[in-house]
Structure formats: C-alpha cells, structure tokens
Amino acid sequence: MNKKVLQTLEYYKILNQLAEYAACEDTKERCKKIKPLTDPAKIAYLQETTADALSRLYRGSNISFAGIHNMNASLKRLEIGASLNTTELLQISSLLEVARRAKAYDRADTPHAPKEDGEGESEKTDSLSPFFAKLMPLTPLHEEIKRCVLGEDEIADDASPALFKLRRSIRGMNDKIHAQLVSLMNNTTTRSYLQDAVVTMRDGRYCLPVRADAKGNVPGMIHDQSGSGSTLFIEPMAVVNLNNELKELLLKEEEEIEKILAELSARVAENEAGIRTDYEVLYELDFIFAKAALARSYNGMAPVFNEDGRIRIRKGRHPLLDPKKVVPIDVELGTSFRQLIVTGPNTGGKTVSLKTVGLLTLMGQAGLHIPAGDRSELAIFHEVFADIGDEQSIEQSLSTFSSHMTNIVRILEKADSQSLCLFDELCAGTDPTEGAALAIAILNKLHQYGATTMATTHYSELKVYALSTEGVENACCEFDVETLSPTYRLLIGIPGKSNAFAISAKLGLADNIIDDAKTRLSEKDVDFENLLANLEHSRRTIEKEQLEIDQYKSEIETLRTQLQTRQEKLDASREDILRNANAEAYRILKEAKDVADETIRNFNRFGSTHPSASEMERERAKLREKMSEKEKKLAMKADRPENHKVPKQLRIGDTVKVLSMNLKGTVHTLPNAKGDLSVQMGILRSQVNIKDLVLIDEDTAPAAKKFGGSGSGKIKMSKSATISTEINLIGKTVDEALALLDKYLDDAYIAHLPSVRIVHGKGTGALRNAVHAHLKRQKYVTSYRLGESGEGDSGVTIASFE
C-alpha cells in the first residue's frame, strides 16, 4: 500500500489513537507501524482476535497490561554469565505479575457451557484462549524476587541469613560510633572547639565539625573542609578503629548483596524460556486489546470482507470526527456499478464521504474494527489511491491543476481491477469544458480497467456521463436550501444540484442579478436542473410516505403480536376453565349420586322396618346440614362485598332480596337463633341467613318513580356516567365523521366534560381540516389544538369547552 494514501486519508492519526490504548512501549511502536494487509486469511484472523477481545471487554471485565517490559537484552546478558541488577529483577517481577494477572483474568472471564455428554461443564474458548494458555506466571520466582528486592536501591534484610546478621552488626556498630561521638561532644572542653554540635559523615566515615583554629586540640584524621575553610571535618582518633570495622562490615554487605543478586539471576536463567514466552504472549495480547479498546471507543464492528470489489457500508462514521455531531452515511459501491459520481454544493459532506470510504477500507484491512453498522461489507484492495486536497507546490513550480494531474497520471499507471481510486474535485482548477472532458476520459479509462472508483465533482457533464454509462451511478450530498445547511446524508442514485441561485438569494443577492444570471443559462441546462429538482422532490415525497408506511407496519405488527398473545392467553384460560369445570361437574355428579344412593337405601330400609320418625328426621337433618355446608362454601367463593343493610326486624310476608342469588323473595319463616330463615323465591324455597338479605320497601318504589322524572339533572348524571372523553373518527368519510362528532360534542358538553380528544389520523389532512372547521362553528367550544408529543401528535385534536 503506497504511503501517500496513508497520509492523505489520515490513517496515521488512527494509529496514534490506537497507540494510546497500549501499555507497553514496544506495543505502542508496533501500533504506529501497522499496515493494511491483502491476505484474506490474515485479515480475518486479526478481525477475529479483535472481536473476541471486544466481546470480553463488553462483558464488563477489563484487563491492564501495565508493567510489561522487554527483557531480551537482560536475558542475553544472563547467557554470557552476567548478573542482573535490582532494576532488571524488578522489571522481571513486574512482567510475571502481569502474566499472573492475565491468567486470573482469563479464568474469571471464560464462560462455561454444558458438556456434550451432559455431565458437568466445559470452558468455552475463543481465539484468545491459546494465548492465555501459554502464559506461565512462574509464581515461585516472582515471589522470591518480591521477597528479596524491595526497590531499585534496597535489598530486604531477610534476603539471606548472612545479610541479616551483617546488617544487625552494622546497626550495632553505628550505635557504638554515635555513642562515642556524643560522649566527645558532651565534653565541655571538646564542645568549645566544635563549629556545631552535630555528627556528620565524610567519605563514609563519621566526623565532627571542628573550627579551623582549633584543629590541634581535637586529635584525629581530617577528611574534608567547608567552602570557606573555617570548618574542618575531623574523624576523632577515638572512633577511627570503629569506623574501620564499620567499613569492613559495609564491604561484606556489598559482597552478600552481589551474592544474592547472582543467586536470583541464576534462578531467572533457569526460567529464561518461560519469561521470553510470557513477554511475547503479553506483547501480543496488549496489541489485541488495544485494538479492542479503540473499537469500543467509537462503537466499532468487524466488517465482512470480499474479493469482488463490493463495498456496502451501513451507517458509516468518520472515526476522527466528533461522534456526537458526525452524521452516519450509507455507501454502496461495486455491486451493479463500479463508479460513483458524487455531486452537490460545497461543505455538503462530499469529501468527508470520500475519506470515510477510503479510511474505513484501510482500517479494515489493517485488522481494525470500523465505526459502522452491523453487516457492513468491505472489499480487499491491493492498492488504494487518493487524490484529495490542495496539492499545489511552490518549490516544484506546480499549480493546483498541474499537481493534481501529476498525481492522477501516477494513479492511471498503477490502477487495476483490484484498486480503489478516490478523487476529490476531479480535474478542477482549469477551464470547465476541458476539465469536464478530461474527467470523463479519466473515469472511462478507470472503468475499462475495472477499478472501483468514487469521485466528487461540480461538473454537470459528469452527471450526464453517470446517467448514460452502464456501471456508473450518480450520488449527492443532501442540502437543505431553507436553512442553507447540509444534512451530510449521502443519497445514491440522485445527482446533486449546486443550489447556487438559492444560496445566493438567501444570502441577500439582488433578485434582478439572479434573474439576469438565469437568463444566461442555456435551455438545456435549465431543463436538466429542473429534472434534478423534480427528482429531489419525488425522493423526499417517497421517503416521507415510506416512513409513514414503516410506522403503520410497526403499529400493525405490534397490535398483531398483542392480539396473538391475548388469544393465546384466552385459549389457555379457556382450556383450564373447561378442564376445571369438567372436573368439578364430575365431582358434583358423583357426590349427588352417592347421596341419592344413600337416600334410596334409607328409603327402602325405612319402608321395610317401620323406623321411628326421629330417626328419619335425623337423616334428613344430616342431609340438610351437608347442603348448608356446600352452600356456605359457595358463598365464600363468591367473595361478595359485606352487606351493610342487614334487616333488623323481619315479618312474615316482607319482600327481601337474597344477595348471593340476586333474587327477590318473600320471608316464609322468622329467623332462628343463628339468623337462618326460609325465603320463598317463586317456586323455590331456600334456607338463607339474615346477613344475606336486604329488605325492599315496596311502598317507596312508586314515589321514587314519581319524583325521579326525566329532568336535566338525571340526563346530566346519566351522560357524565357514560360519555367517553375520546371519539375515534378514523376510517369514516367526512360526512359520517361530522354527524358522529356533532352528537358527541353535544353529549360531552351536557356531561360537563372540560375537554375531549378527537382522533382523526394524519393521512391527507382532509378529515382533520373538516373537524377543525366544525369546531370553529361551535359556540360552546372555546379552543382547540393539535395533540402534542405523547398525545398523538397531528393525528389528534384536543377541544376545550366553556
């Protein structure tokens, strides 16, 4: 892939962003150097590993690779017998710590699935599992280094028994020297010779600061003097031997530390292969997860690749633009056409669309996810060429046109059927007639090569070329003339307009100048621009109607799903009810049969043995008690509300209502101590409880009828209880709808409703206009308005009454 296109399409800026997500310095350098590939298998593998890492990140588990160090140079030194210093040992420990952390991350993140034999679970693997499996944390070595080396300049006291003893001796010797020097300073005579009463150290030996004029009064060895010469740092003779012993101990300490470092280095050498493997695996995982983190930052996905030159980008976004402001574009190229000619006004998004296609192609072939929608397709190109931007060169005395043409010549020399060619303002900067002719010739040559090409232009001749040439398609970047602002949507199949007259008029150019300009256009140009305007108008109308159709389809599908769910519930409930009813009926019939059989047996027995009346009454009481028990159970199941109008005093012949049966009857017997009494209901006489009765005063019934009347108060009560706050007129003709609406408004006004909701739908607007005209004529309608968001929008009108 040529380096020029990588610079032109700002591919290196993407790589710099990628490097920021890497932890290791070596990985950062690798990120900045990756190049687009042309091998489908390698590209697929890179995309697969990135996708698997992204899936792990989306599962909520993050991993840090901070602490990876390239130890190859240190391991080389080990091979020749050298020892590692504390810094190198700490770096190895850090590397092993990252390996341990990564291993634990893989165990915690790996999902499990049931085994095929149904016994237990097996771990689900992805393309990253082999990397994690190779890691060797080398825990014993890691722990030993941590135990012995506390910092770059610090070895632990317990790194070895000998070091522990030496440091204890050193501390003891320091205490002795300090005690001796403090004793000297506390001496009145000696103190008068000192510049300061402090103990200091020079060349690793303890000294006292003595005044230069008193150096003969403090016997000892002079190690240093102050800058002014007024102070001499003297080691008193009393501590010379002690300082010598301390120096010997310090030398032994250094020897012991060297021995410890040599032993640790030997252990590292034993695990050299494991350490190299850990670095290589972590280096690779750091790179893969950096790509995944970059993809997550712009919500990227893995494109589907083909070798047929087919590009189908869905909701593609330029990764270097603000994700909150960038407008996604849909681009299709290489299916029924291999060339796409994009036209339209400046600042409309043509160049951004061009760069988006090129940059996403480079990113995809480099193994990076692209910021686009699912199922986006990219072709694998062996070369990508781009002629974008101002190529003017003062040093080479090249004009804008000359520099562009030089670049185009190089492209034509190398382009073939496996190339993607991108041109911004092809052949601009020269005479429009000649420039358009050259542009058509260049595009025709690339068309013969079979190259996939996307070009932007202002030349109308190229629009005609695209309309008249097979395998070439027009496209435009949508522009809103009303607001003088582009929408940045790429529309394939429609040539764009420059909108120069409309933009100039909006910006205040005099109408007479614009009219004069229009007269200077040829009739052919005017007809072509009018054709484009008609195409644009038709497109907008179709899009609007398609959007409404999609909404209706969505609503119908939702209603169908709800109806189907409700029907399934009803079917299930019906089956349950029938099943339970059949079971209950069978139980009742069986119980009735048992009672009948028992009664017949008793009847036969009583008929043959002449039993006493008391025995027969006992049997009848048993049967009555059983019936009462069943009746109580039925009353409990009814779950009726509590009766607050229990009669306090009943007389035989009083008219009552049995609530549980919802029947009127006449009191046949007075209630007993339990409140039970007999009530005659037509031909049925039943024993009920007084709590299940309501006394009906038949004397007041006519009075109620007499005074009930049919006045407006009763009408209002009835209306307010039954009138709805909404009327649905969808599907009615205007005449039918107005007749229904007129009666409904009268009823609603009588019922004192404050406002009503009239559903007339959107459609063509004829019904809505008729409704508004009718409301305007009603005196009791104070105001009306279209519904707001959440009320039904323009498909609903809200009317308010006085």
Side-chain angles (χ1 to χ4, degrees):
M1 202 71 68
N2 64 91
K3 293 182 179 181
K4 181 177 176 58
V5 75
L6 303 181
Q7 192 71 39
T8 302
L9 296 177
E10 301 176 292
Y11 173 75
Y12 292 116
K13 290 185 179 180
I14 299 296
L15 299 189
N16 289 334
Q17 289 184 354
L18 174 63
E20 292 177 3
Y21 290 99
C24 175
E25 289 301 322
D26 290 354
T27 312
K28 290 180 183 291
E29 289 301 315
R30 177 182 177 182
C31 290
K32 294 177 182 179
K33 294 178 181 178
I34 62 173
K35 295 289 188 294
L37 305 175
T38 57
D39 186 341
K42 290 181 179 179
I43 295 172
Y45 176 72
L46 291 176
Q47 290 287 351
E48 181 187 8
T49 54
T50 304
D52 288 339
L54 185 59
S55 297
R56 289 176 179 247
L57 293 180
Y58 277 142
R59 285 199 291 266
S61 50
N62 292 316
I63 180 173
S64 171
F65 292 97
I68 302 175
H69 300 281
N70 188 344
M71 303 310 302
N72 290 335
S74 300
L75 296 177
K76 281 284 186 185
R77 290 178 56 236
L78 282 178
E79 291 177 1
I80 60 175
S83 295
L84 303 180
N85 56 39
T86 54
T87 301
E88 292 171 314
L89 289 170
L90 287 174
Q91 288 178 347
I92 289 175
S93 175
S94 174
L95 178 68
L96 297 178
E97 172 62 24
V98 177
R100 183 199 62 77
R101 201 163 58 226
K103 198 80 172 177
Y105 165 83
D106 180 56
R107 285 194 298 268
D109 180 74
T110 302
H112 292 74
K115 289 183 178 179
E116 293 182 0
D117 56 8
E119 297 181 2
E121 292 185 336
S122 62
E123 291 185 351
K124 284 186 176 181
T125 59
D126 56 20
S127 61
L128 303 182
S129 298
F131 289 103
F132 287 104
K134 291 179 183 177
L135 288 174
M136 294 179 284
L138 303 176
T139 304
L141 175 60
H142 171 53
E143 294 296 334
E144 183 64 13
I145 294 175
K146 282 177 62 179
R147 184 185 70 83
C148 296
V149 184
L150 303 180
E152 292 187 0
D153 299 317
E154 185 179 4
I155 300 293
D157 290 351
D158 59 350
S160 71
L163 183 63
F164 183 81
K165 291 180 181 179
L166 283 170
R167 287 189 172 170
R168 186 173 60 183
S169 300
I170 289 170
R171 285 192 294 271
M173 187 58 65
N174 280 324
D175 292 341
K176 285 183 181 179
I177 295 172
H178 270 275
Q180 188 68 37
L181 291 174
V182 168
S183 175
L184 288 173
M185 285 190 297
N186 289 337
N187 185 289
T188 307
T189 304
T190 306
R191 183 183 298 177
S192 62
Y193 304 140
L194 301 179
Q195 194 74 266
D196 293 298
V198 295
V199 176
T200 185
M201 182 171 280
R202 289 293 183 274
D203 298 330
R205 303 179 76 87
Y206 288 102
C207 303
L208 291 176
V210 180
R211 297 199 316 273
D213 58 345
K215 64 178 180 179
N217 298 320
V218 181
M221 299 174 62
I222 299 173
H223 287 281
D224 198 2
Q225 69 177 2
S226 64
S228 63
S230 61
T231 304
L232 299 177
F233 297 95
I234 298 176
E235 177 186 0
M237 293 302 296
V239 297
V240 169
N241 290 333
L242 294 176
N243 270 331
N244 290 339
E245 292 180 17
L246 176 62
K247 189 68 175 179
E248 291 177 4
L249 291 173
L250 291 174
L251 291 173
K252 290 180 180 179
E253 179 192 26
E254 289 181 7
E255 292 175 1
E256 185 60 26
I257 288 174
E258 290 296 328
K259 182 179 177 182
I260 292 169
L261 294 178
E263 291 176 355
L264 290 174
S265 299
R267 294 193 61 174
V268 169
E270 293 173 2
N271 295 277
E272 177 188 350
I275 294 171
R276 288 186 186 276
T277 300
D278 283 348
Y279 170 73
E280 292 168 0
V281 171
L282 291 174
Y283 168 73
E284 191 67 29
L285 286 174
D286 187 22
F287 176 65
I288 293 170
F289 275 89
K291 293 191 295 178
L294 177 66
R296 184 172 62 171
S297 70
Y298 52 64
N299 194 24
M301 51 76 63
V304 179
F305 283 94
N306 64 81
E307 296 182 82
D308 305 323
R310 186 173 63 255
I311 297 174
R312 187 180 287 114
I313 298 174
R314 304 171 187 267
K315 305 296 181 187
R317 308 173 302 279
H318 196 289
L320 297 177
L321 297 180
D322 186 351
K324 295 180 181 178
K325 296 179 181 179
V326 64
V327 178
I329 61 170
D330 294 335
V331 182
E332 185 174 336
L333 185 59
T335 50
S336 58
F337 52 91
R338 297 298 291 262
Q339 286 192 350
L340 190 64
I341 310 300
V342 186
T343 51
N346 288 329
T347 71
K350 301 191 301 297
T351 304
V352 171
S353 300
L354 202 68
K355 285 188 172 183
T356 300
V357 173
L359 183 55
L360 265 55
T361 297
L362 296 177
M363 289 173 62
Q365 291 185 216
L368 301 176
H369 280 12
I370 62 172
D374 289 336
R375 305 189 314 280
S376 292
E377 288 188 63
L378 291 177
I380 297 176
F381 295 105
H382 287 199
E383 276 292 354
V384 177
F385 300 102
D387 182 56
I388 300 173
D390 188 0
E391 301 274 341
Q392 186 171 4
S393 174
I394 296 175
E395 291 86 354
Q396 298 180 17
S397 300
L398 292 176
S399 67
T400 300
F401 177 76
S402 300
S403 59
H404 278 292
M405 189 53 62
T406 302
N407 195 23
I408 291 170
V409 169
R410 284 198 296 265
I411 293 174
L412 289 173
E413 289 174 353
K414 297 179 181 178
D416 56 22
S417 60
Q418 293 181 316
S419 301
L420 173 65
C421 301
L422 306 171
F423 299 99
D424 187 28
E425 302 294 347
L426 180 60
C427 291
T430 188
D431 178 74
T433 303
E434 294 181 356
L438 273 173
I440 292 173
I442 291 167
L443 291 174
N444 190 54
K445 178 59 70 175
L446 291 171
H447 192 40
Q448 293 174 7
Y449 289 163
T452 303
T453 308
M454 185 174 177
T456 68
T457 183
H458 284 288
Y459 294 144
S460 295
E461 291 85 349
L462 266 66
K463 304 175 189 177
V464 178
Y465 166 75
L467 288 171
S468 59
T469 307
E470 186 178 355
V472 184
E473 187 59 88
N474 271 306
C476 70
C477 287
E478 190 179 47
F479 190 86
D480 191 341
V481 180
E482 294 298 324
T483 60
L484 288 182
S485 60
T487 64
Y488 301 108
R489 291 177 59 205
L490 184 66
L491 308 175
I492 295 178
I494 301 174
K497 290 182 63 179
S498 65
N499 294 305
F501 293 154
I503 294 172
S504 300
K506 283 282 185 180
L507 294 175
L509 187 64
D511 291 341
N512 58 344
I513 297 176
I514 294 175
D515 292 338
D516 183 34
K518 288 181 179 178
T519 60
R520 299 179 186 278
L521 286 175
S522 67
E523 185 177 348
K524 182 179 178 182
D525 292 334
V526 173
D527 291 340
F528 186 71
E529 289 299 317
N530 289 337
L531 174 63
L532 295 183
N534 292 333
L535 283 173
E536 178 67 9
H537 178 71
S538 300
R539 181 192 63 78
R540 289 176 182 269
T541 304
I542 292 170
E543 278 190 357
K544 184 178 179 181
E545 292 177 353
Q546 186 62 45
L547 183 61
E548 291 182 358
I549 291 171
D550 292 341
Q551 289 177 346
Y552 288 141
K553 282 183 178 180
S554 178
E555 291 176 4
I556 291 170
E557 183 63 25
T558 302
L559 291 173
R560 189 185 69 81
T561 304
Q562 291 176 351
L563 183 60
Q564 184 176 356
T565 303
R566 185 182 300 175
Q567 187 63 43
E568 290 174 355
K569 289 182 179 178
L570 285 174
D571 292 343
S573 301
R574 179 174 174 274
E575 291 177 2
D576 291 341
I577 291 170
L578 287 175
R579 191 184 304 111
N580 295 334
N582 288 331
E584 183 67 14
Y586 175 78
R587 187 189 63 76
I588 292 171
L589 288 173
K590 185 175 184 303
E591 187 174 348
K593 179 179 179 299
D594 294 341
V595 172
D597 292 344
E598 181 67 22
T599 303
I600 291 170
R601 283 196 295 270
N602 289 337
F603 181 79
N604 292 332
R605 183 164 58 85
F606 293 153
S608 61
T609 58
H610 305 288
S612 63
S614 61
E615 187 177 355
M616 292 177 64
E617 184 59 31
R618 278 197 303 273
E619 290 295 331
R620 192 169 69 164
K622 261 171 62 178
L623 186 58
R624 188 185 300 115
E625 189 176 334
K626 196 168 188 179
M627 289 177 64
S628 297
E629 185 180 348
K630 296 296 181 184
E631 191 173 356
K632 286 180 181 178
K633 287 183 178 179
L634 286 173
M636 289 173 62
K637 288 181 182 178
D639 194 23
R640 60 181 178 272
E642 185 179 354
N643 183 13
H644 297 287
K645 298 181 180 180
V646 178
K648 295 182 178 178
Q649 187 174 1
L650 286 175
R651 295 173 296 177
I652 295 175
D654 284 347
T655 302
V656 293
K657 182 177 182 179
V658 182
L659 297 177
S660 61
M661 299 182 177
N662 197 27
L663 293 175
K664 286 184 180 180
T666 305
V667 176
H668 190 71
T669 63
L670 294 176
N672 57 19
K674 295 181 179 180
D676 297 331
L677 67 153
S678 296
V679 176
Q680 186 74 34
M681 294 167 285
I683 63 172
L684 176 67
R685 180 183 297 173
S686 177
Q687 188 174 24
V688 299
N689 193 275
I690 192 171
K691 294 181 180 179
D692 195 24
L693 299 180
V694 173
L695 182 62
I696 298 177
D697 190 357
E698 291 188 340
D699 294 336
T700 63
K705 291 179 182 178
K706 180 178 177 182
F707 295 105
S710 58
S712 63
K714 181 176 180 181
I715 292 174
K716 289 176 183 176
M717 291 286 290
S718 174
K719 291 291 183 186
S720 62
T722 60
I723 195 72
S724 172
T725 59
E726 177 184 297
I727 182 170
N728 192 337
L729 303 179
I730 293 177
K732 308 291 184 185
T733 65
V734 172
D735 293 335
E736 292 173 348
L738 292 182
L740 291 172
L741 178 62
D742 189 64
K743 182 179 183 306
Y744 172 75
L745 291 173
D746 289 341
D747 292 342
Y749 179 66
I750 292 172
H752 290 296
L753 295 181
S755 63
V756 293
R757 184 171 182 263
I758 304 166
V759 182
H760 44 64
K762 299 177 181 177
T764 61
L767 183 56
R768 178 183 63 221
N769 295 334
V771 168
H772 287 185
H774 186 77
L775 291 174
K776 196 172 184 180
R777 293 193 295 271
Q778 306 307 313
K779 294 181 180 180
Y780 49 79
V781 176
T782 58
S783 64
Y784 60 91
R785 61 175 175 80
L786 288 175
E788 298 176 351
S789 178
E791 293 179 331
D793 296 318
S794 60
V796 167
T797 295
I798 308 298
S800 302
F801 298 108
E802 294 178 347

